[in-house]
Amino acid sequence: MEFIDYYKILGLDKSASIADVKKAYRKLARKHHPDLNPNDKEAQAKFQQINEANEVLCDTEKKKKYDKYGKDWEHAGPEYSGGKSGYDPRQQQHARGQQQSYGSYGEEDFSDFFSSMFGGGGFAGGSGGRTRFKGQDFNAELRLNLMDVYRSQKQTLTVNGKQIRLTIPAGIDNGQTIKIKGHGGPGMNEGPKGDLFITFNIVNNTEFKRDGSDLYTEVSLDLYTALLGGEITVDTFDGKVKLKVKPETPAGSKIKLKGKGFPVYKKSGQFGDLYLTYRLQIPKDLTDKEKELFQELAKLR
């Protein structure tokens, strides 16, 4: 018989704990359940394999044998006298009996199965004693520019032909996912609707680098202002501000503008900080007179 890699079936590696196995099993069993995939033989076969993998990997003793013997785990018998291990024909017969039972669940068994899987919260029972199943979850991606999420805004999305109006909070991060309850697929046997998960793809097309709610950028500083000091105007994310530059400011100096960063997610009125790094701008195309003056300065130093 072809060896079945139970860990691979559940999308796990061999270091997975029993808790990891149970979590993966719940997710995959829900996806491939025959009631949610009628007339889909591939899904039914997958469901049987998932049950088989869970049956073995959630049992401490079976898991030990499987990890140790691999494809021969079902035939591995107890320790015999003399400290040697071998195969027990009784174990082989018992294993065949177990294989024949995989996937042979009645409707009542499925009710208990899903009740334990989902905690019974609205899934067990239903019309005519049938098990209620939550509808399929939907996933969508929303692409926005960084400037779009500087302030909260309302948008209307069309998902599976339905319009959904939602408020996008200021400060939402790239890759962040939010859940909109009840906007997924319809449930079965009067079960609840699934949920809609929206993942945000935030494109930064600005000169600012974002790290959480803090922003970073570089500011050009001319040689004369860096040496003698003065006042400059710099861009922040929501406007311009004037800054005083101290005399003899070295290139690469950093300053922090408190509260001039990005909005803090779901904390109205709170902002991160803006960090500026001075980049020295060397004058070009010097005139003869300028070169002469710089030579005089060089002699003085």
Side-chain angles (χ1 to χ4, degrees), residues 140-197:
E141 184 179 284
L142 182 58
R143 183 184 177 94
L144 297 170
N145 290 327
L146 187 62
M147 185 63 74
D148 296 331
V149 294
Y150 186 74
R151 295 179 176 83
S152 296
Q153 61 167 294
K154 295 184 182 295
Q155 281 212 15
T156 301
L157 307 180
T158 302
V159 180
N160 284 359
K162 295 182 179 180
Q163 288 192 333
I164 301 172
R165 186 170 176 80
L166 73 155
T167 299
I168 302 173
I172 199 161
D173 210 347
N174 181 50
Q176 188 171 340
T177 299
I178 63 172
K179 179 177 79 171
I180 304 178
K181 189 175 178 62
H183 282 276
M188 292 186 64
N189 300 335
E190 300 181 1
K193 290 183 178 180
D195 302 319
L196 171 62
F197 292 86

Side-chain angles (χ1 to χ4, degrees), residues 11-301:
L12 302 170
D13 56 40
K14 202 170 182 178
S15 62
S17 65
I18 289 181
D20 295 330
V21 171
K22 289 180 178 179
K23 183 177 179 181
Y25 170 64
R26 292 189 186 102
K27 180 179 179 181
L28 292 172
R30 170 69 179 81
K31 179 180 179 181
H32 296 286
H33 187 271
D35 284 2
L36 300 180
N37 300 274
N39 303 321
D40 187 339
K41 292 183 179 181
E42 185 177 343
Q44 292 175 9
K46 184 71 173 177
F47 185 71
Q48 288 182 350
Q49 289 183 336
I50 293 165
N51 274 291
E52 184 176 337
N54 179 69
E55 173 79 15
V56 174
L57 298 183
C58 273
D59 184 301
T60 304
E61 292 303 318
K62 291 179 181 178
K63 185 176 185 298
K64 284 181 180 178
K65 290 181 180 180
Y66 180 79
D67 289 343
K68 183 175 182 180
Y69 297 108
K71 66 178 181 178
D72 297 316
W73 77 271
E74 293 172 302
H75 312 308
E79 296 284 326
Y80 292 118
S81 59
K84 296 181 180 179
S85 61
Y87 300 122
D88 185 347
R90 293 172 298 175
Q91 289 287 94
Q92 185 174 0
Q93 183 178 0
H94 176 64
R96 282 198 297 267
Q98 281 188 320
Q99 286 178 340
Q100 292 170 358
S101 67
Y102 291 144
S104 58
Y105 295 92
E107 187 171 347
E108 184 176 346
D109 296 320
F110 276 129
S111 296
D112 293 338
F113 168 69
F114 274 92
S115 179
S116 63
M117 179 185 295
F118 298 105
F123 290 93
S127 177
R130 294 179 299 170
T131 304
R132 296 192 298 151
F133 300 114
K134 180 183 175 183
Q136 181 182 0
D137 292 334
F138 291 158
N139 293 278
E141 184 179 284
L142 182 58
R143 183 184 177 94
L144 297 170
N145 290 327
L146 187 62
M147 185 63 74
D148 296 331
V149 294
Y150 186 74
R151 295 179 176 83
S152 296
Q153 61 167 294
K154 295 184 182 295
Q155 281 212 15
T156 301
L157 307 180
T158 302
V159 180
N160 284 359
K162 295 182 179 180
Q163 288 192 333
I164 301 172
R165 186 170 176 80
L166 73 155
T167 299
I168 302 173
I172 199 161
D173 210 347
N174 181 50
Q176 188 171 340
T177 299
I178 63 172
K179 179 177 79 171
I180 304 178
K181 189 175 178 62
H183 282 276
M188 292 186 64
N189 300 335
E190 300 181 1
K193 290 183 178 180
D195 302 319
L196 171 62
F197 292 86
I198 299 178
T199 301
F200 288 84
N201 180 5
I202 310 299
V203 179
N204 187 354
N205 52 1
T206 74
E207 63 187 34
F208 298 91
K209 179 184 176 182
R210 181 188 181 190
D211 183 6
S213 57
D214 292 330
L215 295 174
Y216 298 81
T217 191
E218 291 186 340
V219 175
S220 293
L221 189 64
D222 66 79
L223 178 63
Y224 312 109
T225 305
L227 290 172
L228 304 175
E231 190 175 81
I232 61 172
T233 300
V234 300
D235 291 320
T236 69
F237 206 84
D238 64 343
K240 297 180 180 294
V241 297
K242 289 185 177 181
L243 293 179
K244 288 186 177 180
V245 180
K246 295 179 180 180
E248 300 180 11
T249 296
S253 297
K254 293 179 172 58
I255 61 171
K256 179 177 79 172
L257 300 184
K258 189 172 179 60
K260 286 296 182 179
F262 215 70
V264 179
Y265 180 67
K266 284 194 173 180
K267 291 187 178 180
S268 180
Q270 294 189 30
F271 290 79
D273 303 321
L274 171 60
Y275 294 86
L276 305 177
T277 300
Y278 286 133
R279 182 180 66 246
L280 194 61
Q281 188 174 10
I282 303 298
K284 297 180 179 180
D285 302 323
L286 297 176
T287 64
D288 291 338
K289 182 63 177 178
E290 287 174 323
K291 291 178 182 178
E292 182 182 339
L293 292 173
F294 274 113
Q295 288 170 352
E296 289 295 325
L297 285 173
K299 291 176 182 179
L300 290 175
R301 299 295 293 180

